[in-house]
């Protein structure tokens, strides 16, 4: 049985928030790298770090909702789409390099998530 659209949309929203949180964390850490315990407070108080934490908090609440309504074995594999979106945003937004083997790996992730969620 294929998942209805509701769980897919809820998990997709969760994943998008998680990926956006990672992106803003990466931007913040590119601006002020964590070099050790001596600058930890400075890094943690950056606005982008705080926004990323907020996004993660909202994503967690959405995930709680998804877990309370749907089978874990159906929705959890959809979380792997975060790897795909994270890699794509790293490539598109952060201009990171991407190899052909990474593209193939992403295709396997998408295919595997689809098969597991069926």
């Amino acid at each position: 049985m294929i998942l209805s659209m509701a769980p897919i949309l809820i998990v997709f929203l969760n994943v998008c928030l998680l990926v956006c949180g990672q992106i803003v964390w990466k931007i913040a850490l590119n601006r002020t790298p964590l070099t050790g315990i001596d600058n930890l407070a400075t890094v943690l108080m950056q606005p982008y770090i705080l926004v990323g934490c907020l996004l993660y908090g909202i994503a967690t609440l959405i995930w709680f909702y998804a877990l309370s309504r749907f089978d874990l074995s159906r929705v959890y594999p959809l979380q792997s789409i975060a790897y795909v979106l994270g890699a794509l945003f790293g490539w598109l937004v952060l201009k990171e390099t991407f190899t052909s083997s990474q593209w193939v790996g992403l295709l396997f992730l998408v295919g595997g998530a689809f098969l597991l969620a069926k």
Side-chain angles (χ1 to χ4, degrees), residues 59-71:
T60 299
L61 294 176
I62 292 169
W63 185 242
F64 289 166
Y65 176 79
L67 290 177
S68 70
R69 303 265 330 259
F70 311 112
D71 292 342

Side-chain angles (χ1 to χ4, degrees), residues 3 30 37 43 55 64 73 82 88 112 114:
L3 281 175
N30 282 347
I37 194 75
V43 169
L55 292 171
F64 289 166
S73 63
L88 290 176
F114 174 77

Side-chain angles (χ1 to χ4, degrees), residues 1 9 12 16 22 50-51 53 57 61 69 81-82:
M1 177 174 127
L9 292 175
F12 187 70
C16 287
Q22 290 288 332
L50 298 174
V51 167
C53 290
L61 294 176
R69 303 265 330 259
I81 298 303

Side-chain angles (χ1 to χ4, degrees), residues 31-67:
R31 291 179 178 179
T32 307
L34 180 62
T35 57
I37 194 75
D38 56 313
N39 78 331
L40 179 60
T42 302
V43 169
L44 291 177
M45 296 314 296
Q46 289 185 81
Y48 280 168
I49 294 292
L50 298 174
V51 167
C53 290
L54 177 64
L55 292 171
Y56 258 70
I58 296 168
T60 299
L61 294 176
I62 292 169
W63 185 242
F64 289 166
Y65 176 79
L67 290 177

